[in-house]
Amino acid sequence: MFRYIVRRLLQMVLTFFGATFVVFALMFANQDDPLQALAGERPITESQRIALTERYHLDEPFLTQYWYYMKGLLTGDFGTSLTGRKIADTLETAWPITLKLATMAIVIAAIIAISAGVYSAIKRGGIFDNTTLIVTLVLLSMPIVVIAPLAQLLFGIQLGWFPPTASAKATFYQLLLPAIVLATSVLATQLRVTRTSVAENLRADYVRTARAKGLSSRRVTSVHVLRNSLIPVITLIGVDLGNLMSGAIVTEGVFNIPGVGYNLAKGIRTEDGPLVVGFVSALVIVFLVVNLIVDLLYAALDPRIRYE
């Protein structure tokens, strides 16, 4: 196990450097005039432009800029945005609300997907099974950029069931509608994977043996089938964290939630390279750590899996 963790940590380091390099290169190639984009229509004096260019090394070659960024990042300094605010301070403010939103979305999606997926597999071919397949097909065909404004208009504005926007100190109720919207981006896939996995395990030999020993159907399903069926689902949930973070850019923008996605979208619009790369670097770290935890959970769910 120790050797496996060390090997994975080395892979994570390489992945982190590769991801930050690609993002930094994309921002460097996309930059037109970030200082003017930040100022909008207001003019920038030549002295201001020279001072800001020197401060952010905008006149330096790409590799030199990347070296300055990584040098600061490895010492725990995410840098300073073009607005002059420390990126670490912005992350500290935005991260808790995005973490809360993503956690709510993961829990909502997992509860609905696992419950409906198991029941659909047990009642395969029935009305509930066919209905869930149609609903998941509709969800897969509708991107979150369509679902989010529709949900805000229908449930937030017209019906008034939920607040149409949320603040940085939003309550559970204020984040419930955005969390449900965000959960729809991963719900359909998780439900279908759960249904398929449970249906396959219900036909396995060990299930017939357990039933032959006199175990009840509920115990066979909850203890034996569900535990084996959750392995691919947990893998998917770990991968879905990245989808939730990318979906949060749209969701937080629509519901005006000042989280990571909202600030990331704002940084892209204003060509604030340091802010975008800093936020993406933090997201890459979270994504890598979560995937490592998911891999380690395999051994807990399936005793046959051992990392040597």
Side-chain angles (χ1 to χ4, degrees):
M1 176 69 75
F2 177 75
R3 293 178 61 185
Y4 173 79
I5 294 177
V6 172
R7 186 167 65 249
R8 284 298 306 271
L9 289 175
L10 293 175
Q11 293 174 356
M12 289 168 59
V13 170
L14 295 176
T15 304
F16 174 75
F17 279 104
T20 55
F21 183 83
V22 171
V23 174
F24 201 94
L26 291 174
M27 287 303 301
F28 183 85
N30 190 50
Q31 282 183 348
D32 182 18
D33 189 354
L35 299 179
Q36 189 61 55
L38 180 67
E41 297 181 356
R42 293 176 299 176
I44 301 178
T45 64
E46 190 63 26
S47 59
Q48 290 175 330
R49 182 178 294 276
I50 293 174
L52 291 173
T53 299
E54 182 178 356
R55 179 190 301 177
Y56 295 102
H57 311 285
L58 297 178
D59 57 340
E60 301 281 354
F62 163 70
L63 292 178
T64 305
Q65 292 188 35
Y66 182 71
W67 162 250
Y68 279 120
Y69 173 72
M70 292 306 302
K71 182 180 178 181
L73 189 61
L74 293 176
T75 59
D77 183 12
F78 282 86
T80 307
S81 68
L82 294 182
T83 59
R85 185 180 181 185
K86 286 286 186 180
I87 296 176
D89 295 339
T90 308
L91 269 172
E92 185 179 355
T93 304
W95 188 254
I97 189 169
T98 297
L99 183 61
K100 185 177 180 180
L101 178 64
T103 302
M104 290 174 60
I106 289 175
V107 172
I108 292 172
I111 291 175
I112 297 176
I114 294 175
S115 303
V118 171
Y119 191 76
S120 294
I122 296 174
K123 303 294 184 181
R124 193 168 59 254
I127 296 177
F128 182 83
D129 183 34
N130 293 327
T131 302
T132 54
L133 290 177
I134 294 173
V135 172
T136 54
L137 183 63
V138 173
L139 290 178
L140 288 172
S141 63
M142 294 182 65
I144 197 169
V145 70
V146 175
I147 297 177
L150 284 178
Q152 183 189 46
L153 176 63
L154 180 61
F155 300 107
I157 298 177
Q158 294 184 350
L159 297 177
W161 292 353
F162 301 95
T165 59
S167 63
K169 298 182 180 179
T171 62
F172 175 85
Y173 178 66
Q174 290 176 326
L175 289 177
L176 186 56
L177 181 59
I180 294 173
V181 171
L182 194 57
T184 59
S185 63
V186 298
L187 173 62
T189 308
Q190 291 182 13
L191 195 154
R192 285 181 171 240
V193 170
T194 303
R195 176 187 178 275
T196 302
S197 182
V198 172
E200 289 178 354
N201 281 283
L202 285 173
R203 296 192 296 266
D205 293 336
Y206 73 88
V207 173
R208 286 193 289 269
T209 302
R211 287 174 175 170
K213 290 181 177 181
L215 295 179
S216 64
S217 297
R218 176 176 295 181
R219 181 171 177 80
V220 170
T221 303
S222 60
V223 176
H224 300 283
V225 174
L226 188 58
R227 183 173 182 178
N228 290 320
S229 302
L230 281 179
I231 295 177
V233 180
I234 288 181
T235 306
L236 189 60
I237 291 175
V239 175
D240 282 341
L241 179 63
N243 296 331
L244 292 177
M245 292 302 179
S246 61
I249 297 177
V250 177
T251 305
E252 292 181 357
V254 171
F255 290 93
N256 199 32
I257 303 173
V260 174
Y262 179 87
N263 285 276
L264 191 57
K266 182 179 178 181
I268 294 173
R269 288 195 305 268
T270 58
E271 299 183 20
D272 195 338
L275 179 67
V276 173
V277 179
F279 271 63
V280 171
S281 299
L283 292 178
V284 169
I285 294 173
V286 172
F287 187 77
L288 292 174
V289 171
V290 169
N291 275 270
L292 176 61
I293 295 174
V294 168
D295 288 343
L296 295 178
L297 284 176
Y298 289 168
L301 289 172
D302 192 344
R304 297 170 298 179
I305 298 177
R306 289 292 181 268
Y307 296 117
E308 300 295 342

